[in-house]
Amino acid sequence: MLYTSTRNNSLRVSAAQAIAQGISEEGGLFVPCEIPEFTLSDIEKMVNMPYIDRAKTILKTFLTDFTEEELTYCVEGAYGGNKFTSEKIAPVVNVNGNENILELWHGPTCAFKDMALQLLPYLMTVSAKKTVDGKEIVILVATSGDTGKAALEGFKDVENTRILVFYPVDGVSPMQKLQMTTQEGENVAVCAIKGNFDDAQTAVKAIFTNDEIKAQLAKKDMMFSSANSINWGRLVPQIVYYFSAYADMVEQGRIELGDEINVVVPTGNFGNILAGYYAKLMGVPIKKLICASNSNNILTDFLTKGEYNRNRTFYTTTSPSMDILISSNLERLLYHISGNDDTLVKELMSQLNECGVYKVSEEMLGEIRHYFDAGFADEYQVRKTIQTQFNDYKCLLDPHTAVAVNVYYSYVKRTDDDVPTVIDSTASPFKFPKSVYSAVFDGTEVKMTEFETIDEINEVLGVEIPEPIKALKNKKVRFTNVCSKEDMSEMVFNLLNL
């Protein structure tokens, strides 16, 4: 299996090089040159497998330059032991009728990013030994909340790596901020930026492709890589849980092998739902991929109208991980949908960078609609969904998952397409305690502290507090840096002591 770039499809690199490098030299994203195919018989074999074996089965088709021993080391290191609080790793829980929640937050940071970011450090270190042995890898991360902590935890004290995380100073929840600023580890650093996630992400991409900065790092035997989902090593583990969810639905008797399911994904950067798209191409019987957005509904507009326009009001919401107007992984979809047209992708990305808008052809839009549907939920709808789901089913949702559940009900009402559906639940409700508590109690203003609210949810609603959240209570804040988006390059050097 070889990989190419969305902006230069004459390029061919190994999986290890794609993962170690993170992003292509000209700014494109690495994509597989071919998509592995799985038959229903292949999927049937996964039904009785534990998650680790399902992961090995999928990943070995993409990471063909990894030996069996290397792959086992990576996968068992990521998902073995007691890192995940559920034996199933990513359990599927039926809520009501055809509504099934895929719980992706049982890892050490209580967010779905753990599914990939517990594995990525292993993939990265194995890849680095194959391709850039001797160099220290500097992981540069922009986060809208969950990626930052999950990456910090995954790369904490990993040999020959340093990790620098930038987050919008007013764009993450207090709990997300506390998780990042108290992070332990000798090779980690965190900095807030004055701006939003898109500002941080744009600056990180610019630093990645800055030849002068890369040259300065090379003098110190260092190189950049990414833990954001622009890195193929972050995206490929996410494909696994769509196969796993389907196998679990078969195992639970909710579907017969071969039956179609719908999948609803709350997404901002388009990585999580793109993994579902790859799973569908590979053979998982997914009928429709339903993209759920919050008030920043740029993806809803694009997937229904074919125009991507970031020149719009930016909303800070209770689902901050989706407060994004530049969805990086959409570039990969454009490449595949256009028939691998790197010239077109380059042109569209140039238009986005220069004008903030691009439009795809009716033919491409038709192809996109074949795979995707889309909807969004505003803040009122999110609050009411959290309240209703708890009152009716004793199912406590975080705001991101509530966006997806609301969009699911809207989709069924609009289309009458009520096939069994898997809804991605991307974070524990305890990461957003005040928003969740207020919603359950009909908009009541919460005057308690974060941890008082957490205790109240535990006592009044009877929901168990995850251990990683409990452990935060007495942790000391280590990182208080704040910089402007223009000064991020300088801050990178400061944090690296260069």
Side-chain angles (χ1 to χ4, degrees):
M1 173 68 75
L2 294 174
Y3 293 79
T4 189
S5 167
T6 52
R7 302 187 198 181
N8 176 14
N9 67 12
S10 65
L11 193 68
R12 293 292 182 272
V13 301
S14 66
Q17 188 175 336
I19 292 168
Q21 196 172 319
I23 190 169
S24 189
E25 292 287 345
E26 77 296 324
L29 306 187
F30 290 115
V31 290
C33 291
E34 56 188 296
I35 306 295
E37 292 182 10
F38 283 73
T39 64
L40 287 176
S41 176
D42 295 328
I43 295 172
E44 186 177 25
K45 290 172 187 170
M46 294 185 206
V47 171
N48 295 316
M49 287 183 188
Y51 191 89
I52 283 176
D53 289 343
R54 291 172 181 173
K56 289 180 193 173
T57 302
I58 302 302
L59 294 173
K60 70 182 180 184
T61 66
F62 286 105
L63 309 176
T64 53
D65 52 336
F66 282 56
T67 65
E68 189 176 340
E69 291 75 21
E70 287 170 337
L71 192 59
T72 296
Y73 160 75
C74 292
V75 174
E76 293 187 357
Y79 303 119
N82 298 311
K83 288 184 177 181
F84 286 77
T85 56
S86 170
E87 188 180 334
K88 297 285 286 183
I89 308 297
V92 177
V93 178
N94 180 257
V95 175
N96 178 51
N98 283 333
E99 178 188 349
N100 302 276
I101 299 289
L102 174 59
E103 294 182 348
L104 297 171
W105 41 262
H106 288 281
T109 77
C110 303
F112 85 101
K113 305 296 174 78
D114 290 326
M115 299 299 300
L117 282 164
Q118 283 300 303
L119 181 59
L120 181 61
Y122 291 93
L123 297 180
M124 186 79 75
T125 49
V126 171
S127 295
K129 283 177 183 173
K130 291 175 180 294
T131 59
V132 291
D133 200 18
K135 284 194 177 180
E136 185 174 35
I137 295 180
V138 178
I139 310 294
L140 205 55
V141 177
T143 185
S144 53
D146 289 332
T147 291
K149 172 59 181 176
L152 288 162
E153 190 64 29
F155 280 94
K156 175 182 70 178
D157 293 327
V158 171
E159 192 177 2
N160 291 325
T161 67
R162 303 274 288 279
I163 177 163
L164 314 180
V165 169
F166 293 89
Y167 69 92
V169 67
D170 296 317
V172 300
S173 78
M175 195 58 63
Q176 288 173 318
K177 180 178 179 180
L178 191 62
Q179 283 187 309
M180 288 186 282
T181 57
T182 59
Q183 178 65 47
E184 298 166 350
E186 294 302 310
N187 64 334
V188 307
V190 178
C191 181
I193 73 146
K194 297 169 186 172
N196 58 37
F197 169 75
D198 291 323
D199 296 324
Q201 181 170 249
T202 300
V204 162
K205 280 187 173 180
I207 293 167
F208 263 117
T209 53
N210 185 305
D211 291 335
E212 187 180 332
I213 295 174
K214 287 193 291 187
Q216 290 184 59
L217 254 67
K219 289 177 186 175
K220 301 288 185 180
D221 245 4
M222 293 175 165
M223 64 172 283
F224 282 131
S225 193
S226 171
N228 284 91
S229 54
I230 55 175
N231 190 317
W232 179 251
R234 245 293 299 279
L235 190 60
V236 70
Q238 295 179 267
I239 298 171
V240 175
Y241 52 70
Y242 291 103
F243 276 87
S244 182
Y246 190 87
D248 281 348
M249 292 275 283
V250 173
E251 184 184 29
Q252 293 169 11
R254 304 210 170 273
I255 57 172
E256 297 289 332
L257 185 72
D259 287 352
E260 289 187 316
I261 63 169
N262 286 333
V263 173
V264 187
V265 186
T267 189
N269 214 16
F270 208 72
N272 199 359
I273 196 165
L274 184 69
Y277 168 76
Y278 282 121
K280 177 176 170 64
L281 294 183
M282 292 167 70
V284 178
I286 297 172
K287 183 178 181 183
K288 215 71 168 179
L289 293 152
I290 301 160
C291 179
S293 298
N294 62 15
S295 297
N296 295 294
N297 62 333
I298 188 167
L299 284 169
T300 309
D301 286 348
F302 173 71
L303 294 171
T304 54
K305 301 171 187 172
E307 180 178 83
Y308 194 95
N309 189 344
R310 65 177 172 87
N311 302 317
R312 60 176 67 208
T313 303
F314 177 86
Y315 296 100
T316 300
T317 73
T318 53
S319 47
S321 296
M322 299 159 69
D323 291 347
I324 295 171
L325 294 181
I326 303 175
S327 304
S328 290
N329 271 291
L330 201 54
E331 181 171 340
R332 285 185 166 112
L333 179 69
L334 294 171
Y335 178 79
H336 294 301
I337 292 289
S338 68
N340 306 341
D341 190 338
D342 57 343
T343 304
L344 175 64
V345 171
K346 212 172 348 183
E347 174 59 28
L348 294 177
M349 292 304 101
S350 176
Q351 289 174 25
L352 180 65
N353 187 46
E354 291 168 17
C355 311
V357 60
Y358 63 81
K359 192 174 178 73
V360 298
S361 67
E362 283 298 318
E363 184 183 1
M364 279 181 68
L365 178 58
E367 186 74 1
I368 288 167
R369 284 176 172 166
H370 172 72
Y371 292 98
F372 294 90
D373 201 286
F376 75 98
D378 62 24
E379 288 293 87
Y380 173 77
Q381 291 170 317
V382 169
R383 286 197 304 272
K384 295 309 287 184
T385 302
I386 292 172
Q387 182 186 48
T388 302
Q389 287 286 111
F390 186 77
N391 290 343
D392 290 355
Y393 310 118
K394 290 295 177 277
C395 175
L396 192 63
L397 306 176
D398 88 289
H400 303 76
T401 308
V403 168
V405 170
N406 183 275
V407 168
Y408 162 68
Y409 280 114
S410 297
Y411 172 82
V412 173
K413 187 176 181 181
R414 171 167 51 86
T415 64
D416 288 328
D417 180 15
D418 190 23
V419 302
T421 299
V422 169
I423 303 169
D424 284 13
S425 179
T426 53
S428 163
F430 285 98
K431 294 195 77 166
F432 310 90
K434 289 191 176 185
S435 297
V436 169
Y437 187 87
S438 175
V440 171
F441 292 102
D442 206 22
T444 303
E445 184 183 355
V446 182
K447 296 181 180 178
M448 299 174 285
T449 66
E450 293 286 308
F451 286 102
E452 286 170 347
T453 310
I454 284 170
D455 290 338
E456 196 75 0
I457 291 173
N458 174 238
E459 292 167 19
V460 176
L461 303 184
V463 182
E464 189 177 344
I465 307 169
E467 286 301 324
I469 299 292
K470 283 184 190 175
L472 274 176
K473 197 166 188 177
N474 300 310
K475 276 197 170 183
K476 183 181 176 183
V477 171
R478 292 182 64 199
F479 302 104
T480 57
N481 294 316
V482 182
C483 73
S484 68
K485 57 187 177 182
E486 292 81 12
D487 293 333
M488 276 177 61
S489 297
E490 185 181 340
M491 181 57 73
V492 166
F493 287 110
N494 290 342
L495 295 175
L496 292 173
N497 298 316
L498 296 179

